[in-house]
Amino acid sequence: MSGPPKVRSINVADLESRQVLVPAGNKARSVATARKPASKPFRKVERTEVTAAEGKRDSKQSTDLSPLSLSAPSVLGRHELLLHSNLSLNASCSSDASTDSSCSRASTGRNVRTSLTSRRRPSTPRPEKITAKVEKILLDDSSVGLQELLLVKKKCAWVTPNMDPAYAAFHDEEWGVPVHDDKKLFELLVLSGALAELTWPAILSKRHIFREVFMDFDPISVSKLNEKKTVATGCAASTLLSEPKLRAIIENARQILKIMDEFGSFERYCWSFVNHKPIISRFRYPRQVPVKTPKADVISKDLVRRGFRSVGPTVVYAFMQAAGLTNDHLISCFRFEECIVAASLGRDQGNEINAKAKNEVEKKANTC
């Protein structure tokens, strides 16, 4: 008599621990699985199969232990029906979830990948689009010509579009062109010495004042200037440079006259240091352009020995660049080849080119 109650108590405990065998638990299980999102459908199918196997095993144990219970087969039948219904429901949900996930991947995953690839690999503009943009610019601004837009000359990196027009014109017309005129060489030496206190744009903007004060850079006329009157406050020269620089210009003019007597011209003296041929540097980048060179140091020492003032190696190298003793245009600049061609011409043709360039620079400076 004590056997059946024990078996019932064991069955009840098993049924409470395994909710799959309880009808209410099965219903709750089915409702929960229906409500939960089918993010992991395959794991749920495996779990239901495991619970079904465990349910059959427990059902066998319950039938072996409780032969006297008549309601066990009916309960097992109900459980099997519910299990089959759960399996079919889970399979349908898993199939729906797989189709939904595939659709979502097809709709979103590919777009994301294409967006990533588009970010990594920007699309190159087609020639048709470029021409359309060019035509649009031309229609919007009729003052810009097609030739000016397409044939843009590449200059040295330090000459930017926002640069002073006078300095840009000086780069395009004068800087690096071989100079063989004594007055022009004296002018460039004076302007290069002024770089210790001013910049090229500031010097070029005051170039007309320099020429008025120093008699168009005629060494004979400048050597006769009175230093006290030139340096006196209120004079036009005092607004250009400091007093030591102004005195140095007058003294250098006197020393140039001595060199002209010795060598025949100041031009022969200057070009003798480079064997009457410009030095072609062939620089690719601005950082390669030096501030001074051993050759400039040699010329500076010789000028100081002859009585010149304010002619350090840096000033002398700036003078060499401006006078065309060295061609420091970058090889990508359009003036690099033009200065080489100008150097191959004779002195007379070179002087004509310098005169024309000088007039053009003056016009641009006056308009600015």
Side-chain angles (χ1 to χ4, degrees), residues 39 247 321:
S39 61
R247 292 181 182 272
Q321 291 175 325

Side-chain angles (χ1 to χ4, degrees), residues 156-305:
C156 294
W158 55 83
V159 182
T160 60
N162 298 327
M163 188 65 67
D164 185 77
Y167 179 72
F170 178 71
H171 168 272
D172 297 344
E173 303 294 340
E174 291 187 69
W175 196 75
V177 178
V179 178
H180 300 282
D181 182 63
D182 288 346
K183 292 183 179 180
K184 184 67 181 294
L185 288 171
F186 180 41
E187 178 184 2
L188 293 177
L189 182 62
V190 172
L191 299 181
S192 299
L195 287 172
E197 299 179 0
L198 301 172
T199 60
W200 271 121
I203 292 169
L204 295 172
S205 63
K206 299 178 180 180
R207 196 172 189 177
H208 60 286
I209 303 176
F210 275 98
R211 288 172 179 165
E212 291 176 0
V213 171
F214 296 108
M215 313 278 184
D216 202 16
F217 293 100
D218 183 12
I220 299 173
S221 301
V222 175
S223 62
K224 295 179 181 180
L225 289 175
N226 189 352
E227 293 185 5
K228 292 183 179 179
K229 292 181 179 180
T230 305
V231 178
T233 57
C235 295
S238 61
T239 61
L240 297 174
L241 298 171
S242 60
E243 181 179 344
K245 292 290 182 183
L246 296 175
R247 292 181 182 272
I249 292 171
I250 298 172
E251 183 62 28
N252 291 343
R254 295 169 183 167
Q255 300 303 324
I256 286 175
L257 293 178
K258 294 180 181 180
I259 290 176
M260 291 172 67
D261 293 337
E262 182 180 353
F263 290 88
S265 65
F266 185 56
E267 178 265 339
R268 288 182 182 177
Y269 168 77
C270 294
W271 284 93
S272 65
F273 288 99
V274 294
N275 198 16
H276 300 279
K277 293 180 180 179
I279 300 170
I280 301 174
S281 302
R282 299 184 184 277
F283 294 130
R284 291 181 177 271
Y285 307 103
R287 63 176 179 270
Q288 296 176 335
V289 181
V291 179
K292 59 182 180 179
T293 59
K295 182 66 70 176
D297 195 9
V298 171
I299 298 173
S300 173
K301 289 179 179 179
D302 191 75
L303 290 172
V304 173
R305 183 179 62 83

Side-chain angles (χ1 to χ4, degrees), residues 100-121:
D100 293 337
S101 62
S102 63
C103 293
S104 63
R105 287 175 185 174
S107 60
T108 58
R110 292 177 184 176
N111 294 331
V112 172
R113 288 179 182 176
T114 53
S115 63
L116 290 174
T117 53
S118 63
R119 289 179 183 176
R120 291 177 183 175
R121 298 179 181 177

Side-chain angles (χ1 to χ4, degrees), residues 10-22 54 58:
I10 291 169
N11 291 334
V12 170
D14 291 337
L15 291 174
E16 289 177 355
S17 62
R18 302 181 183 275
Q19 297 180 0
V20 180
L21 298 179
V22 181
E54 291 177 355
D58 294 337

Side-chain angles (χ1 to χ4, degrees), residues 154-157 283-284 329-336:
K154 190 172 182 180
K155 302 180 182 181
C156 294
F283 294 130
R284 291 181 177 271
H329 285 283
L330 302 182
I331 58 175
S332 59
C333 180
F334 77 100
R335 290 292 293 167
F336 177 75

